[in-house]
Amino acid sequence: MTKPFGSGRVDAIVVGAGPNGLAAAITLARAGRSVRVYEAAAEAGGGTRTAELTLPGFRHDVCSTILPLTLASPFFQTIDLAAHGVELIHPDAPIAHPLDGGRAVVVERSVSATASGLGGADGRAWRHLFAPLVRDADKIGSEVLRPVPHLPRHPLALARFGIPALRSTEGLARARFADEPAMALFAGISAHSMLRLDRPLSASFGLVLATYAHAIGWPMIRGGAGALAPALVAELEAAGGEVVTGHRVTDVAELPAARAILFDVTPRQLVAIARVRLSGRARRGAERFRYGPGVFKVDWALDGPIPWTADGARRAATIHLGGTLADIAAGEAAVASGQHPDRPYVLLAQYEPWDTTRAPAGKTTAWAYCHVPGGSTVDMTARIEAQVERFAPGFRDRIIGRATHGPADLEAYNENYVGGDINGGGEDIRQLLLRPWPALDPYHVGDGIYLCSSSTPPGGGVHGMSGMLAARSALRHDLR
């Protein structure tokens, strides 16, 4: 994959070989444009890399690991991942949420099965809320995986989603559900947003992610998410594009001539690299752009599977730890106000028994993070492990290796993770509706300059849509 520094004019240059940068390059190459991608790291991938972080033979996903948005993405639907040797694995159930007392509520692939697990009025409420959304999942995906202000192609489906999505997580959960298990389940899904759960639009994240859990599942890649980047590079090269790794771009002036340059970076890096080429509105917007909370991540090498008390927690690859709706909401509010909760909301991924290739026989790995204030220097390892131990007594005894990454470590690994923000910018109501800043075309930011990172719509996640949509913008303008 590594090539010498390219030279000579091309139609388009892409800076950054994460999923969005590669998606932009593939879209342009398929349109018949000559494309070259420059990546600072020794390999492509951005947030989709896999490495032995703890002990030899134990493979860990450095950043992204469970990939619902990949399956939902219109861009990835154009890629035959299986043809490139990428195998998606579905666990028995997409999501589990343990509660104190030994019970776990589970999001099954089936809406009806999930409703049956909740039982009673809350089961009926879950079915009433999600059955129409799952039926319209393809239509909803084509609407939400693009800038929020747009002319809808499926207005009725968008309205069915959009009316409850305007609410806060707390407001929607308390209005729709009567008992704690259902409210906690929805809160754990919504908290992926990194927003306070009492804020408008925070419910939209729970609605989208739970809909995808039912409609398409929350899969992992056998052997690790690092298999995704080579597949995208192969797709690009088959279309005539090229990737140059190990070359950091620090100034737009050092790049060869091109009709369009697309940047898979956040506004901070964009200004540093290409300030002289940005429009006045883009410069001002970049200077006002706000980054969100960070994460503190722990990877474990384990001497056996996690000993969950609740059987339901053994059936899902994605586990949400945090307790009740009130507990999760309080923890996320503390992070938003610059504090570190004693009992943080923890997102955990486990791979046993579905993928046994990530560790030696009889061993396994696990992946987890909690939210922290941006730029935090607090070590959250003990608090994260206490949350796992709370629902899986004996967990600590199975740890044989550990790797931790705070916000500074994550930013050193990937400069787009400013202050540990893995979403490319805060996703509060203003930056959710007008991301990255008010503009009719949020991707076209200067003379021949485009932004294609997760700082643009539709935001964070491994979906490639920011890259594809930015490339389409370039094809309408400088690459006509």
Side-chain angles (χ1 to χ4, degrees):
M1 191 183 301
T2 301
K3 297 183 178 181
F5 179 58
S7 61
R9 183 182 180 87
V10 290
D11 291 323
I13 287 172
V14 178
V15 177
N20 281 313
L22 292 172
I26 290 168
T27 303
L28 295 173
R30 286 174 173 173
R33 308 306 190 265
S34 55
V35 185
R36 185 179 301 126
V37 181
Y38 292 107
E39 167 58 41
E43 60 180 348
T48 56
R49 296 182 184 140
T50 304
E52 293 184 345
L53 299 178
T54 56
L55 299 172
F58 289 81
R59 293 180 59 77
H60 305 268
D61 288 334
V62 182
C63 297
S64 299
T65 192
I66 304 295
L67 305 172
L69 294 181
T70 303
L71 274 186
S73 164
F75 167 73
F76 273 101
Q77 289 168 11
T78 72
I79 307 288
D80 186 353
L81 292 175
H84 295 290
V86 177
E87 182 183 353
L88 294 173
I89 304 172
H90 288 272
D92 299 348
I95 307 164
H97 190 116
L99 296 165
D100 292 317
R103 179 185 177 187
V105 280
V106 178
V107 175
E108 308 281 0
R109 284 295 302 273
S110 162
V111 174
S112 295
T114 305
S116 296
L118 292 170
D122 281 351
R124 292 190 293 274
W126 189 275
R127 184 182 291 107
H128 180 75
L129 179 59
F130 284 106
L133 300 181
V134 172
R135 183 183 64 238
D136 290 337
D138 287 342
K139 296 176 182 177
I140 292 170
S142 70
E143 301 290 357
V144 301
L145 292 177
R146 63 179 58 246
V148 174
H150 70 274
L151 185 64
R153 300 175 184 175
H154 307 285
L156 293 180
L158 185 59
R160 278 191 288 269
F161 165 77
I163 292 172
L166 293 172
R167 303 196 64 173
S168 71
T169 297
E170 286 189 274
L172 183 62
R174 297 190 189 283
R176 294 295 184 107
F177 305 119
D179 296 323
E180 189 55 58
M183 289 190 284
L185 181 62
F186 186 70
I189 302 169
S190 294
H192 280 252
S193 67
M194 296 188 175
L195 295 174
R196 288 180 56 121
L197 300 189
D198 59 355
R199 292 296 188 257
L201 288 174
S202 60
S204 65
F205 291 85
L207 292 170
V208 168
L209 292 173
T211 296
Y212 287 155
H214 291 308
I216 58 175
W218 283 26
M220 66 183 81
I221 294 177
R222 184 178 299 279
L228 196 62
L232 294 178
V233 171
E235 194 78 15
L236 173 61
E237 291 176 342
E242 63 175 322
V243 178
V244 178
T245 56
H247 183 87
R248 180 179 301 279
V249 176
T250 59
D251 192 319
V252 68
E254 74 186 50
L255 292 169
R259 295 160 58 195
I261 306 174
L262 293 81
F263 289 89
D264 186 6
V265 302
T266 76
R268 178 179 296 181
Q269 290 83 37
L270 181 68
V271 170
I273 298 170
R275 183 181 185 90
V276 296
R277 296 275 297 274
L278 299 180
S279 69
R281 182 185 340 189
R283 284 197 302 272
R284 292 189 296 272
E287 288 162 358
R288 293 193 299 267
F289 188 79
R290 288 168 291 106
Y291 294 91
V295 302
F296 187 97
K297 179 172 178 280
V298 184
D299 291 279
W300 296 285
L302 300 175
D303 189 19
I306 298 174
W308 301 108
T309 300
D311 289 339
R314 299 187 179 97
R315 299 184 54 247
T318 301
I319 312 294
H320 296 151
L321 305 174
T324 66
L325 165 63
D327 290 339
I328 297 170
E332 295 301 279
V335 171
S337 63
Q339 302 172 46
H340 297 77
D342 290 333
R343 284 188 159 187
Y345 163 72
V346 174
L347 295 91
L348 183 145
Q350 59 185 2
Y351 311 101
E352 175 76 25
W354 308 284
D355 184 1
T356 59
T357 68
R358 296 174 182 243
K363 315 296 183 184
T364 190
T365 63
W367 170 113
Y369 71 73
C370 72
H371 301 152
V372 293
S376 166
T377 58
V378 174
D379 186 337
M380 297 292 286
T381 305
R383 299 185 214 191
I384 290 174
E385 292 181 353
Q387 284 289 65
V388 184
E389 188 81 16
R390 173 182 173 186
F391 301 104
F395 165 73
R396 290 192 185 95
D397 295 335
R398 298 202 174 175
I399 299 172
I400 55 177
R402 178 192 294 110
T404 62
H405 293 85
D409 303 311
L410 292 168
E411 187 172 349
Y413 163 78
N414 186 335
E415 292 171 61
N416 283 0
Y417 298 156
V418 177
D421 176 1
I422 59 175
N423 281 330
E427 295 186 304
D428 59 13
I429 188 167
R430 191 178 82 186
Q431 285 193 177
L432 183 62
L433 293 175
L434 300 171
R435 188 179 184 90
W437 44 75
L440 292 176
D441 184 340
Y443 311 100
H444 193 188
V445 295
D447 180 20
I449 303 296
Y450 298 82
L451 187 61
C452 68
S453 71
S454 60
S455 297
T456 65
V462 183
H463 45 65
M465 289 301 296
S466 299
M468 187 178 80
L469 293 169
R472 289 180 175 176
S473 175
L475 291 168
R476 290 193 303 270
H477 297 99
D478 293 282
L479 297 176
R480 291 193 301 273

